[in-house]
Structures are given as structure tokens and as C-alpha cells.
Amino acid sequence: MKVLVIGGGGREHAVCAALKKSPLVDSIICAPGNGGISQIAECAPVAATDIPGMLGLARSRAVDFVVVTPDDPLALGMADAFAEAGIPAFGPFKNAALIESSKVFSKGLMKKYGIPTAEYESFTDPEKALAYIREKGAPIVVKADGLALGKGVVVARTPEEAQEAVLSIMRDRKFGDAGANVVIEECLTGPELTVLCFTDGKTIKPMLSSRDHKPVFDNDMGPNTGGMGAICPVPDYTPELAELCMRDIFIPTMEAMNAEGRTFRGVLYFGLMLTADGPKVIEYNSRFGDPETQAVLPLLETDLMEIFLAVYNGRLGELDIKWSWGSCCCVVMASGGYPGAYEKGFEISGLEEAGRIATVYHAGTAIKGGRFVTAGGRVLGVTAVAGTPDDARQRAYDAVRLISWDGCHYRRDIGGRKL
Ligand code: AMP
Ligand code: GLY
């Protein structure tokens, strides 16, 4: 089969690498892809959100199957467009991708179907939102309704901070129309983790648990990023907890989406917090997480293409998904200044040496004059698998230390204490 993967980050590099191992896959096109992905797939310069462009590419290249990975094309209806064109695609339809693209919808879904989550109210009127904050006090969490590149959430320590967040989201439209509505919710505490699940709407199969590290600096200090690293699996996600989440969260969510006429087929991302009252949903995403995917897929033993086909054909229940024993650690290396402003175009050294001990997924790289240069905020995800979490971490960091460019930075405590 000829497969088209839509996207161009570290997550897509990991998806392409997993598909490359499949005997069912003859060739991979990735659009737009990146420097690293171009080593294992053909990269086509079509933007991930360009629906007519992607349809044209898939038709002209006689693509057999499409994988829609990022949130924005899913929210725009990329999977619907391929279905209408009669080209098989993996990824939820727009009406199901709403579970990520509208927090007002996802919170309403959880309330209606009794899925554990933080108490909340949603607002279309900023004055009412401000009054609610005065009534509730702080800490309190303010969330823009729509997609905001992972930056639409403010965990406010004071009422003033929360009110400022409401005004910048709703009045100043910091995230555009994504801020027409806000959700204001109770601040929960506890460790966070991610469970990505494959689902065809009839069966839901969790992948191994993972944990992203969102703040930019060690010890979870500094502003949030797209994710500075991930581990898989998470030691505190016990089999008992997994069973509880399956019964009270994963299956009820799949069934709730069916009951709403929004059957979800694809990867459903559960961002969970383990509170004193049990696990609660912090957020849903309609796709693979980034960088969780880079830590999860290296432990997948089953052919990923077989899973995509099973989901597409509604036969996920017949497939036994196998995971390898062991542990994976992915350390993100970022451009100086990220998540704020940063420069691009710096030559990256040490990739070959690092590649001998770890897998280096490229997120924001390009090839210039035959050399890899930086081309984004998050540049690389240096990933290692080993028998224990400590060994995986050690190996990932051994590889990280071989790589450098002007201004590069990374966290030194992915998966635990500082190394
Ligand atoms: P989100 O973009 O929804 O994943 O939110 C980003 C981060 O904000 C999460 O990973 C949490 O650390 C934090 N957060 C979101 N909602 C809450 C909440 N209700 N209580 C405490 N922290 C939260
Ligand atoms: N790692 C968080 C996300 O993919 O949204």
C-alpha cells in the first residue's frame, strides 16, 4: 500500500517509522513532513490544513490509505473530505473531533454522561465569567473553548490572574474565535498521565500509559510548551487503575460519543489527573499526543498499519494488540527561546553519533546544503528503549549529550529526578 501521513512533527516521524516496519506498506508520503522524515518517506510540500491540496496529492499519487494525525485538519473535516472522495483514511470525522476542538462540548459530554472531570461552568458573556470568578475565588482554571496550540489554558493562582485570562481570551481574542467562549473550572491536583486509545466506536483499546512533561524547565517550572519529553509506561498507572479508567472513563466516553451520533474512530487521547477522589479527565484530544507518541510507539509490537486498517474496517475487536516489555524515554531538544520567540536555521551536530545509541525523531528540522538545520521550536525527540525506566532515561540522555546547536536546550529531568 501507498500511505499518506498528514503532518510534520516528531509524532508524524514516529508514525512514519512504525509504518515503515509494516510488510503491508510499500511506500510512505508525508505532507508536509520535515528533514528527518524525508530520510524514510517522501515529503510533499502541502500544508497539513490544506484539504483540497491533500485530496489532490492523494489522487495524483494514487494513495491507498491516509493517516490524518494533527488536530487542526481533523477539526476542519479532513477525514470527512477523504471519506467523501472514497479514499480510506484513519482519523475521526469533524463531528467527533469536536471532543478536542470544543471544551464546552467535551465538558458538557462528561457532565451529561457522568464521566469524572473537574466541576465547571461555561460562559459566552465575559461579565458573567468575571462574576463567577469573584464568587469561586482561586485557584481556578480558565480555558478557551477552541484550539489554541495547547496554550489556551491558564491555571490561575489568584482571582486577578483568572480575570486577566478571561479578558485576554474573550475580549482581546488572544486565540481568535477559539476564545468566543470559555470554560472555567475547579483546580484539581495530582499526578497527570496520558492514555492514548485506539477505537472504532465498538471497541476501545488503550495503548500503554505515558506521561508528557509540559513546562519548559526542570521541576515543572516556567511556561507550558507543546511537551518537553515523555515516558512510557507510567509506573503509577497500576493494573487496578487501568481497569477503573476503562470502566468509568474510556468505555463511557466511547458510548457517549455513539449516543450523541458522533461515533469516534481513530485515536482518542485521555489526559487524566489522579486526584484524591480518583482519576478525572483533564482533557480529551482527538489524535495521537506529541511527544507521547514518540515514547509509546517504540514499544508497540503489533503492525501499526494492521491496527489502522482494523479501526477503519470496524474490526478492532478482532485484533490482539501486543506491547513489548520494557520502558521508553523521549527527551525533546528545543530551540533557544522556545516556547517564546526563537531563531531557526542553526546546523545540528552529533546526529549520527546519537543515532547509534538512540532513535532521534525529528520535529522541527530541515535539510540545507545536505545538512540538518533547526526549523522549529521543538527540534528533536531523542528516544531510547531499555529494560528499565532508569536505563531508558540514561540512554536517551547519553544520546542527547552528543547533539548540539547554537542555543539548544532541554529538560534534564524527563521521567524523574535530574540526571
Ligand atoms: P490542557 O491544555 O487542557 O491539557 O491543559 C494544560 C494543563 O493545564 C494540563 O496539563 C494541566 O496541567 C493543567 N490543567 C488543566 N485543567 C486543570 C484543572 N482543572 N486543574 C488543574 N490543572 C489543570
Ligand atoms: N502532549 C500533549 C498533546 O499532544 O496535546
Side-chain angles (χ1 to χ4, degrees), residues 103 107 118 141 143 150-153 155 185-189 192 214 224 269 273 282-283:
K103 294 203 193 283
K107 292 297 290 190
V141 181
K143 301 184 169 184
K151 293 176 186 148
V153 174
V155 180
E185 67 180 34
E186 160 200 20
C187 186
L188 301 174
T189 51
E192 285 182 62
K214 282 186 179 144
N224 268 349
Y269 171 123
M273 194 177 268
I282 288 285
E283 67 161 342

Short mmCIF file of all heavy atoms in Angstrom, two decimals, residues 103 107 118 141 143 150-153 155 185-189 192 214 224 269 273 282-283, ligand 1:
data_model
loop_
_atom_site.label_atom_id
_atom_site.label_comp_id
_atom_site.label_asym_id
_atom_site.label_seq_id
_atom_site.Cartn_x
_atom_site.Cartn_y
_atom_site.Cartn_z
N LYS A 103 -14.02 22.70 24.10
CA LYS A 103 -14.03 22.29 25.51
C LYS A 103 -15.44 22.44 26.08
O LYS A 103 -15.81 21.71 27.00
CB LYS A 103 -13.02 23.11 26.31
CG LYS A 103 -11.58 22.81 25.88
CD LYS A 103 -10.57 23.14 26.95
CE LYS A 103 -9.14 23.14 26.45
NZ LYS A 103 -8.55 21.81 26.29
N LYS A 107 -16.78 19.20 27.94
CA LYS A 107 -17.21 19.28 29.34
C LYS A 107 -18.70 18.91 29.47
O LYS A 107 -19.10 18.20 30.39
CB LYS A 107 -16.97 20.68 29.90
CG LYS A 107 -15.51 21.07 30.05
CD LYS A 107 -14.71 20.24 31.03
CE LYS A 107 -15.09 20.47 32.46
NZ LYS A 107 -14.12 19.81 33.40
N ALA A 118 -13.34 17.79 36.33
CA ALA A 118 -13.45 18.93 37.24
C ALA A 118 -14.82 19.60 37.09
O ALA A 118 -15.36 19.69 35.98
CB ALA A 118 -12.34 19.94 36.94
N VAL A 141 -9.28 27.49 37.10
CA VAL A 141 -8.68 27.25 35.78
C VAL A 141 -9.57 27.84 34.69
O VAL A 141 -10.78 27.60 34.68
CB VAL A 141 -8.48 25.73 35.56
CG1 VAL A 141 -7.83 25.46 34.21
CG2 VAL A 141 -7.63 25.13 36.68
N LYS A 143 -10.19 28.18 30.58
CA LYS A 143 -9.83 27.51 29.32
C LYS A 143 -10.59 28.14 28.15
O LYS A 143 -11.82 28.24 28.20
CB LYS A 143 -10.19 26.02 29.38
CG LYS A 143 -9.49 25.27 30.49
CD LYS A 143 -9.78 23.77 30.46
CE LYS A 143 -8.83 23.04 31.42
NZ LYS A 143 -8.98 21.59 31.37
N GLY A 150 -2.40 24.39 22.34
CA GLY A 150 -2.04 23.94 23.69
C GLY A 150 -1.78 25.08 24.66
O GLY A 150 -1.29 24.87 25.76
N LYS A 151 -2.12 26.33 24.25
CA LYS A 151 -1.79 27.48 25.13
C LYS A 151 -3.04 28.14 25.70
O LYS A 151 -2.95 29.16 26.36
CB LYS A 151 -0.97 28.50 24.33
CG LYS A 151 0.40 27.94 23.96
CD LYS A 151 1.19 28.91 23.08
CE LYS A 151 2.49 28.25 22.63
NZ LYS A 151 2.90 28.69 21.31
N GLY A 152 -4.19 27.56 25.45
CA GLY A 152 -5.44 28.20 25.85
C GLY A 152 -5.90 27.91 27.26
O GLY A 152 -7.05 28.15 27.60
N VAL A 153 -5.01 27.38 28.11
CA VAL A 153 -5.39 27.04 29.49
C VAL A 153 -4.56 27.86 30.47
O VAL A 153 -3.34 27.88 30.37
CB VAL A 153 -5.17 25.53 29.76
CG1 VAL A 153 -5.43 25.19 31.22
CG2 VAL A 153 -6.05 24.69 28.85
N VAL A 155 -3.94 28.16 34.53
CA VAL A 155 -4.20 27.70 35.91
C VAL A 155 -3.88 28.91 36.80
O VAL A 155 -2.71 29.21 37.05
CB VAL A 155 -3.32 26.48 36.26
CG1 VAL A 155 -3.60 26.01 37.68
CG2 VAL A 155 -3.55 25.35 35.27
N GLU A 185 -13.10 26.23 35.42
CA GLU A 185 -13.29 25.01 36.20
C GLU A 185 -12.46 24.96 37.46
O GLU A 185 -11.47 25.68 37.62
CB GLU A 185 -13.09 23.76 35.33
CG GLU A 185 -11.69 23.55 34.83
CD GLU A 185 -11.56 22.28 33.98
OE1 GLU A 185 -12.51 21.91 33.27
OE2 GLU A 185 -10.51 21.66 34.06
N GLU A 186 -12.88 24.08 38.31
CA GLU A 186 -12.24 23.79 39.58
C GLU A 186 -10.80 23.35 39.31
O GLU A 186 -10.52 22.61 38.36
CB GLU A 186 -13.08 22.65 40.18
CG GLU A 186 -12.48 21.82 41.22
CD GLU A 186 -13.23 20.47 41.36
OE1 GLU A 186 -13.94 20.01 40.44
OE2 GLU A 186 -13.04 19.87 42.41
N CYS A 187 -9.88 23.79 40.16
CA CYS A 187 -8.47 23.41 40.01
C CYS A 187 -8.24 22.09 40.75
O CYS A 187 -8.47 21.99 41.95
CB CYS A 187 -7.58 24.50 40.59
SG CYS A 187 -5.85 24.21 40.31
N LEU A 188 -7.82 21.08 40.01
CA LEU A 188 -7.56 19.76 40.60
C LEU A 188 -6.08 19.61 40.86
O LEU A 188 -5.26 20.30 40.24
CB LEU A 188 -8.02 18.66 39.65
CG LEU A 188 -9.50 18.67 39.24
CD1 LEU A 188 -9.76 17.60 38.18
CD2 LEU A 188 -10.39 18.44 40.45
N THR A 189 -5.73 18.70 41.75
CA THR A 189 -4.31 18.42 41.95
C THR A 189 -4.07 16.92 41.93
O THR A 189 -4.96 16.13 42.26
CB THR A 189 -3.78 18.96 43.31
OG1 THR A 189 -4.66 18.50 44.33
CG2 THR A 189 -3.72 20.47 43.32
N GLU A 192 -0.37 13.76 36.65
CA GLU A 192 -1.08 13.66 35.37
C GLU A 192 -0.47 12.55 34.53
O GLU A 192 0.72 12.27 34.63
CB GLU A 192 -0.92 14.97 34.60
CG GLU A 192 -1.78 16.09 35.13
CD GLU A 192 -1.62 17.35 34.30
OE1 GLU A 192 -1.93 17.33 33.10
OE2 GLU A 192 -1.16 18.36 34.87
N LYS A 214 5.08 19.09 30.35
CA LYS A 214 4.74 20.29 29.58
C LYS A 214 5.55 21.54 29.91
O LYS A 214 5.92 22.27 28.99
CB LYS A 214 3.24 20.60 29.74
CG LYS A 214 2.40 19.69 28.87
CD LYS A 214 0.95 20.05 28.89
CE LYS A 214 0.19 19.10 27.98
NZ LYS A 214 -1.13 18.77 28.48
N ASN A 224 4.22 26.68 29.93
CA ASN A 224 3.92 25.42 29.25
C ASN A 224 4.40 25.45 27.81
O ASN A 224 4.44 26.49 27.17
CB ASN A 224 2.42 25.16 29.27
CG ASN A 224 2.00 24.33 30.48
OD1 ASN A 224 2.84 23.78 31.19
ND2 ASN A 224 0.71 24.24 30.70
N TYR A 269 -7.45 10.48 22.87
CA TYR A 269 -6.41 10.82 23.84
C TYR A 269 -7.09 11.21 25.15
O TYR A 269 -7.91 12.12 25.17
CB TYR A 269 -5.61 12.00 23.27
CG TYR A 269 -4.60 12.70 24.16
CD1 TYR A 269 -3.27 12.78 23.77
CD2 TYR A 269 -4.97 13.33 25.35
CE1 TYR A 269 -2.33 13.47 24.53
CE2 TYR A 269 -4.03 14.01 26.11
CZ TYR A 269 -2.73 14.08 25.69
OH TYR A 269 -1.82 14.76 26.46
N MET A 273 -5.95 13.14 35.41
CA MET A 273 -5.27 13.52 36.65
C MET A 273 -5.70 12.54 37.73
O MET A 273 -6.89 12.23 37.86
CB MET A 273 -5.62 14.94 37.04
CG MET A 273 -4.69 15.49 38.10
SD MET A 273 -5.05 17.20 38.51
CE MET A 273 -3.99 18.10 37.41
N ILE A 282 -8.83 15.52 32.45
CA ILE A 282 -8.40 16.92 32.33
C ILE A 282 -8.69 17.41 30.91
O ILE A 282 -9.12 18.53 30.70
CB ILE A 282 -6.88 17.04 32.64
CG1 ILE A 282 -6.62 16.84 34.13
CG2 ILE A 282 -6.31 18.37 32.17
CD1 ILE A 282 -7.02 18.02 35.00
N GLU A 283 -8.41 16.56 29.94
CA GLU A 283 -8.72 16.94 28.56
C GLU A 283 -8.80 15.70 27.68
O GLU A 283 -8.22 14.66 27.98
CB GLU A 283 -7.66 17.89 27.99
CG GLU A 283 -6.31 17.25 27.82
CD GLU A 283 -5.37 18.00 26.86
OE1 GLU A 283 -5.85 18.82 26.06
OE2 GLU A 283 -4.16 17.75 26.93
P1 AMP B 1 -4.85 21.17 28.67
O1 AMP B 1 -4.37 22.01 27.53
O2 AMP B 1 -6.32 21.11 28.84
O3 AMP B 1 -4.15 19.84 28.72
O4 AMP B 1 -4.31 21.88 29.97
C1 AMP B 1 -2.93 22.15 30.13
C2 AMP B 1 -2.51 21.84 31.52
O5 AMP B 1 -3.22 22.66 32.44
C3 AMP B 1 -2.81 20.43 31.95
O6 AMP B 1 -1.84 19.52 31.54
C4 AMP B 1 -2.86 20.58 33.46
O7 AMP B 1 -1.55 20.55 33.99
C5 AMP B 1 -3.42 21.95 33.64
N1 AMP B 1 -4.86 21.85 33.94
C6 AMP B 1 -5.88 21.80 33.06
N2 AMP B 1 -7.06 21.69 33.70
C7 AMP B 1 -6.78 21.67 35.02
C8 AMP B 1 -7.58 21.58 36.21
N3 AMP B 1 -8.90 21.51 36.18
N4 AMP B 1 -6.93 21.59 37.39
C9 AMP B 1 -5.59 21.69 37.46
N5 AMP B 1 -4.78 21.79 36.39
C10 AMP B 1 -5.37 21.78 35.18
#
